[in-house]
Amino acid sequence: MQWEKLKPPEPDDPMCCCECDIVQYGCCCEDLDEAFTRWLKDKPPKSGWRSPVLTAVTDKLEISMLPALVLLPVLLRVAALHYLLGVITLTALPGLVLWYYYATHRKKRRTLFFLTLALYSLFYMYYLFITEIVPRGDISLLQVCTATTGMVVTILSLIHTKRGPGFVTTSLHEEHSHTEEANKDSTHLNGPEKAQKVKRRQCPVCKVVRPPRAGHCRTCGACVHRLDHHCIWMNSCVGQANHRSFLLTLFVFVLTSLYGISLVLCSLCPRQYLMTALFYCPGVYSQSSTALCFTCAWYSSIVTGGLFYLLVAQVLNISFNVTEREALLALRNKTGRSRLWGLVVDTGDYSHGFCQNWVEFLTMPDAASVPPRSNLTDLV
């Protein structure tokens, strides 16, 4: 069906035989093999006048930095020309981002587009805040320092999160102990039940023994301790080693963004209430600079709204001691119950109460206790 092609991949679906997702810029070998075969046999390409080899390569190229660095300022300035253009542009922009998300997620491809877009948006908003809003004289030095501190803390927390989610490594002692435990648990099982019990403890792709709550990420091509999800905005997984810093990054960013938006609106619309200034601000389009800042305030509000929803979902998942991967598997297998209007899925497997769940989350081993895999962990 058409929907099956657009549906995001499930967490533990089997991968293809070509494990090219581990290499960030690696092209898929099957596409290149087929292209070279048609080219050597002098068969007409499927894509018309374009070379099949060129088509296979260009389809896999990473277009990560150019759209964010070029299109974002252009679109924001176009949106600042008139409020109707602003409505059209700011409505179409999230749709384009979602389309690119499904395009990359469907192909199980790592991408720097969303990380570049997030960082560039953060620095671009801060640049406009310093060059356009601060010179107006409505912002005090303490408020500027507060906004700057929030941005710096967000970047530092993001860097700490990017150190690694805690990849599952294989050691002889660990593999031997898990094998003995698996054999001990399956002594009372016979036939297919025994094979199924033992097979569940080993990843069919990485060939490593996975601890409880660990999962395989098809995008990174590795198993992660207590895998929550693969975050496209960071281009890495969120797991046991970086889940706390990921939550801190979301929390600080949302607070900083809300504070910055309030400062901008108070400066542009001093006679309006803060809650209504975003919808009605007379005379803001009389100057190009104020119109651009107002448009950027709307853009920041859209981004902050999406990340605030993600923050709420993360807090609810932690409160029920369930990861995003476990919630998706429970929905797929129909073994979980939706709570709070579908915002969280209660699996009932690891929950020990609200307080105990948060104590367990806050006392999880960090990156120093869970060694990362250097060949898969990157700071970009």
Side-chain angles (χ1 to χ4, degrees):
M1 297 176 60
Q2 185 71 15
W3 169 248
E4 293 295 330
K5 297 181 180 180
L6 297 177
K7 186 176 67 174
E10 299 294 345
D12 281 341
D13 283 349
M15 297 181 67
C16 64
C17 59
C18 179
E19 294 295 332
C20 294
D21 289 331
I22 299 179
V23 182
Q24 180 179 351
Y25 296 100
C27 300
C28 185
C29 57
E30 294 180 357
D31 292 344
L32 287 178
D33 287 344
E34 182 182 359
F36 274 109
T37 300
R38 294 197 309 267
W39 180 62
L40 291 175
K41 292 182 179 181
D42 198 19
K43 292 184 177 181
K46 298 180 180 180
S47 55
W49 60 271
R50 296 178 61 186
S51 170
V53 179
L54 181 61
T55 302
V57 173
T58 54
D59 288 342
K60 301 297 179 179
L61 286 179
E62 180 64 61
I63 50 173
S64 57
M65 304 183 68
L66 185 61
L69 298 179
V70 176
L71 293 182
L72 182 62
V74 172
L75 291 177
L76 290 178
R77 291 192 177 274
V78 169
L81 296 177
H82 196 270
Y83 71 94
L84 291 180
L85 290 176
V87 171
I88 296 175
T89 303
L90 295 178
T91 303
L93 191 59
L96 293 176
V97 174
L98 287 176
W99 170 81
Y100 189 74
Y101 162 71
Y102 280 103
T104 54
H105 201 13
R106 179 170 54 88
K107 297 179 181 179
K108 309 182 295 293
R109 186 190 305 176
R110 292 171 62 88
T111 175
L112 291 174
F113 172 80
F114 299 99
L115 179 61
T116 306
L117 179 63
L119 292 178
Y120 184 71
S121 299
L122 181 62
F123 287 110
Y124 187 67
M125 299 301 113
Y126 182 76
Y127 168 77
L128 290 179
F129 175 76
I130 296 297
T131 58
E132 299 292 343
I133 300 299
V134 174
R136 294 173 61 90
D138 302 325
I139 308 299
S140 65
L141 181 61
L142 179 60
Q143 292 173 329
V144 175
C145 293
T146 303
T148 304
T149 302
M151 192 193 72
V152 172
V153 173
T154 301
I155 298 299
L156 293 178
S157 181
L158 177 62
I159 293 175
H160 187 270
T161 306
K162 287 288 294 178
R163 290 183 177 179
F167 293 104
V168 179
T169 56
T170 304
S171 61
L172 295 178
H173 175 72
E174 181 182 0
E175 185 176 0
H176 180 68
S177 61
H178 280 288
T179 303
E180 288 183 351
E181 182 181 355
N183 293 333
K184 186 184 299 184
D185 294 338
S186 59
T187 52
H188 63 282
L189 300 176
N190 295 320
E193 296 180 352
K194 180 178 180 180
Q196 184 179 7
K197 181 70 177 179
V198 176
K199 185 178 180 180
R200 286 179 181 177
R201 298 183 179 274
Q202 187 179 29
C203 177
V205 180
C206 299
K207 307 301 180 182
V208 297
V209 180
R210 293 193 301 197
R213 308 191 73 176
H216 181 85
C217 176
R218 299 204 307 174
T219 306
C220 293
C223 289
V224 179
H225 289 276
R226 199 180 181 275
L227 174 63
D228 188 82
H229 69 285
H230 180 87
C231 182
I232 59 174
W233 296 102
M234 298 190 312
N235 192 32
S236 64
C237 292
V238 176
Q240 180 174 330
N242 64 349
H243 201 165
R244 285 193 302 268
S245 57
F246 173 75
L247 187 68
L248 178 63
T249 304
L250 287 178
F251 181 73
V252 176
F253 176 82
V254 169
L255 286 183
T256 304
S257 182
L258 290 176
Y259 184 70
I261 293 173
S262 64
L263 293 180
V264 172
L265 292 179
C266 289
S267 177
L268 296 179
C269 311
R271 299 181 181 180
Q272 300 293 325
Y273 291 103
L274 184 61
M275 299 301 297
T276 60
L278 196 61
F279 301 94
Y280 180 70
C281 186
V284 73
Y285 284 94
S286 59
Q287 298 179 3
S288 59
S289 60
T290 57
L292 179 61
C293 293
F294 185 74
T295 303
C296 291
W298 259 107
Y299 172 75
S300 301
S301 300
I302 296 174
V303 175
T304 305
L307 293 183
F308 179 75
Y309 172 80
L310 179 59
L311 177 63
V312 172
Q314 286 290 313
V315 170
L316 293 177
N317 285 343
I318 296 170
S319 301
F320 284 87
N321 201 356
V322 61
T323 63
E324 187 67 23
R325 168 183 170 271
E326 293 168 350
L328 291 177
L329 290 176
L331 288 177
R332 187 177 65 176
N333 300 329
K334 298 181 180 180
T335 58
R337 295 174 297 176
S338 297
R339 298 290 185 88
L340 300 177
W341 305 282
L343 292 177
V344 64
V345 177
D346 184 13
T347 60
D349 296 332
Y350 303 99
S351 181
H352 305 290
F354 177 82
C355 296
Q356 187 62 32
N357 291 338
W358 275 97
V359 170
E360 178 182 339
F361 174 78
L362 295 176
T363 57
M364 288 190 309
D366 53 6
S369 302
V370 183
R373 289 172 59 176
S374 59
N375 59 334
L376 290 175
T377 306
D378 57 329
L379 294 178
V380 180

